[in-house]
Amino acid sequence: MLSITSIKKGIVIDHISPGNGYEIFKLLELDKADFRVALIINADSKKFGRKDLIKIENEIDLDLRALGILDKNLTINIIEDEMIKEKIEVDLPKMFEGIFKCKNPRCITSSERDVVQKFELVSEDKTIYKCAYCDHLLNMEE
Ligand SMILES: [Zn+2]
């Protein structure tokens, strides 16, 4: 049994569908982290049989709800003093910042480092977002 209490303060991304854990790990650039992170693949899950899990011993200044775009089953637990302080439900946000990058090389967010990536939902059925700066589409089903 893996216990959440092995981290004092940080974030646990739980109930990730098997296979998505590594995607999210890369997306959050946790391979470059200088704090403790753990990616657990194929852990036992009462709800789904198997799940992936990410433990981050740090605070991340990101809109983690946007991870629902990749996997709407996951749950985000904010840990403080080895206890779950807050649970964040994910869904398809109407708008989100950060995490995903605009793929248009001419977009202002590609050249200006200080501009925060911003996306607006255009199709809920197909999970398509558009960049708020250049209208370039971000299709999550591709
Ligand atoms: Zn753009």
Side-chain angles (χ1 to χ4, degrees), residues 102-104 107-110 117 119 131-136:
C102 180
K103 288 185 184 126
N104 176 6
C107 180
I108 185 170
T109 60
S110 306
Q117 309 273 342
F119 293 92
C131 174
Y133 298 97
C134 71
D135 290 348
H136 192 79

Side-chain angles (χ1 to χ4, degrees), residues 5-139:
T5 54
S6 60
I7 64 172
K8 253 196 154 71
K9 188 179 169 71
I11 299 160
V12 175
I13 306 171
D14 200 356
H15 300 114
I16 305 168
S17 307
N20 279 345
Y22 185 59
E23 290 301 312
I24 292 169
F25 196 81
K26 278 192 302 182
L27 191 72
L28 296 177
E29 300 188 331
L30 294 173
D31 50 336
K32 295 175 197 144
D34 58 1
F35 41 85
R36 270 210 296 178
V37 285
L39 168 64
I40 297 145
I41 289 173
N42 292 328
D44 290 325
S45 163
K46 282 196 197 96
K47 230 158 133 191
F48 304 109
R50 299 259 151 193
K51 65 179 182 182
D52 291 355
L53 194 71
I54 296 173
K55 296 184 182 188
I56 303 163
E57 192 152 338
N58 199 3
E59 288 173 57
I60 313 186
D61 192 18
L62 278 175
D63 189 356
L64 291 169
R65 260 170 301 193
L67 291 178
I69 298 160
L70 276 186
D71 191 335
K72 58 179 176 346
N73 291 325
L74 61 80
T75 52
I76 297 165
N77 301 310
I78 308 294
I79 312 295
E80 237 178 69
D81 298 323
E82 301 187 7
M83 309 265 281
I84 297 172
K85 190 192 132 203
E86 194 188 342
K87 268 184 190 286
I88 300 174
E89 297 283 327
V90 299
D91 57 15
L92 278 186
K94 293 266 176 288
M95 193 163 172
F96 69 88
E97 293 184 358
I99 302 188
F100 297 97
K101 291 186 172 74
C102 180
K103 288 185 184 126
N104 176 6
R106 290 190 307 271
C107 180
I108 185 170
T109 60
S110 306
S111 52
E112 305 273 329
R113 293 197 69 191
D114 294 339
V115 180
V116 181
Q117 309 273 342
K118 227 183 253 178
F119 293 92
E120 291 162 22
L121 185 63
V122 286
S123 165
E124 208 159 321
D125 301 345
K126 299 194 176 90
T127 323
I128 298 172
Y129 282 82
K130 80 171 166 54
C131 174
Y133 298 97
C134 71
D135 290 348
H136 192 79
L137 296 179
L138 178 74
N139 188 340

